[in-house]
Amino acid sequence: MSGSSPSVNNISGSYVFVILAGIAAWQIYTRTDPAPLIVNADTFSVFAPFYIAAQAIERFLEPAASRWNPTTSEKADLKQAKEKKVRLDALPAASPATPEQITKANEGIKDAELALAKAKASRAIPLWAVASIICLLVCSALGLGLIAAVSSEVPKSEFVRTVDVLLTGLAVGAGTKPLHDLISGLEKAKEKGDPTT
């Protein structure tokens, strides 16, 4: 429902900060021009650095995430609303709850669920922005690029390498689960293109 969505200021502010981080990452990368990270694929997974970066940043953000717009009160309100409905349902048949009480209890649960969904959404957007900002800066400083990692040779175009690093920063910032899905797709595509791997 639209009422559970984060505010426009929340979303737009997060995008602004990520865009600014992207500009900063672009400046860092083009000014320092780090060599692409090359690993020995025979002894070390070519995607391991990306997993390590994603895991490290997730762990780094955990303490802050636990304090950032906690949803404790919304969860407690929902629990109380559900408990109230259970108590009404448990009333003896001799003195059952009135239809008005049941309707009000159901509305209370619905309102509490909506408040919890909105709180979770408002919490997730800024956390995504912070993770993306950190990953953009880390990937630009280290020259981490997914395209370079799966290519048979390092892209010669500086523009391609820069875009590769910036997109990789956003992919790593999305977290380990989306990153795993992306890497799985890249590995399958690479296997189809190179039957010897």
Side-chain angles (χ1 to χ4, degrees):
M1 296 179 68
S2 59
S4 65
S5 302
S7 67
V8 174
N9 289 341
N10 193 325
I11 295 173
S12 58
S14 297
Y15 273 117
V16 166
F17 282 118
V18 171
I19 290 169
L20 291 174
I23 294 171
W26 169 62
Q27 290 292 322
I28 291 171
Y29 182 73
T30 54
R31 289 174 188 271
T32 60
D33 194 24
L37 181 63
I38 305 298
V39 296
N40 186 345
D42 294 330
T43 59
F44 190 68
S45 171
V46 70
F47 295 112
F50 305 100
Y51 281 120
I52 293 169
Q55 285 279 5
I57 290 166
E58 281 186 358
R59 300 293 79 79
F60 175 77
L61 289 177
E62 271 184 1
S66 66
R67 302 290 298 174
W68 184 281
N69 291 340
T71 57
T72 308
S73 61
E74 288 82 5
K75 289 177 181 177
D77 291 342
L78 178 57
K79 182 179 178 182
Q80 289 177 0
K82 288 181 176 180
E83 288 174 349
K84 182 178 180 180
K85 178 66 165 52
V86 169
R87 288 195 298 270
L88 289 175
D89 292 338
L91 288 175
S95 57
T98 65
E100 291 79 11
Q101 288 176 314
I102 296 295
T103 300
K104 188 174 180 181
N106 287 331
E107 288 176 352
I109 292 174
K110 185 177 178 181
D111 290 343
E113 288 175 339
L114 188 62
L116 178 59
K118 185 170 184 177
K120 285 182 176 180
S122 296
R123 182 175 186 267
I125 297 295
L127 287 174
W128 161 81
V130 172
S132 297
I133 290 167
I134 294 172
C135 289
L136 280 165
L137 299 176
V138 168
C139 288
S140 65
L142 299 179
L144 287 175
L146 281 167
I147 295 173
V150 298
S151 299
S152 56
E153 59 182 45
V154 177
K156 297 292 189 290
S157 169
E158 191 63 30
F159 175 77
V160 171
R161 287 186 58 201
T162 302
V163 171
D164 180 21
V165 169
L166 296 180
L167 292 179
T168 299
L170 293 174
V172 174
T176 50
K177 175 63 170 66
L179 180 64
H180 176 269
D181 295 341
L182 174 62
I183 288 175
S184 296
L186 289 172
E187 285 177 331
K188 289 177 183 176
K190 186 179 180 183
E191 287 172 2
K192 287 181 181 178
D194 185 5
T196 62
T197 56

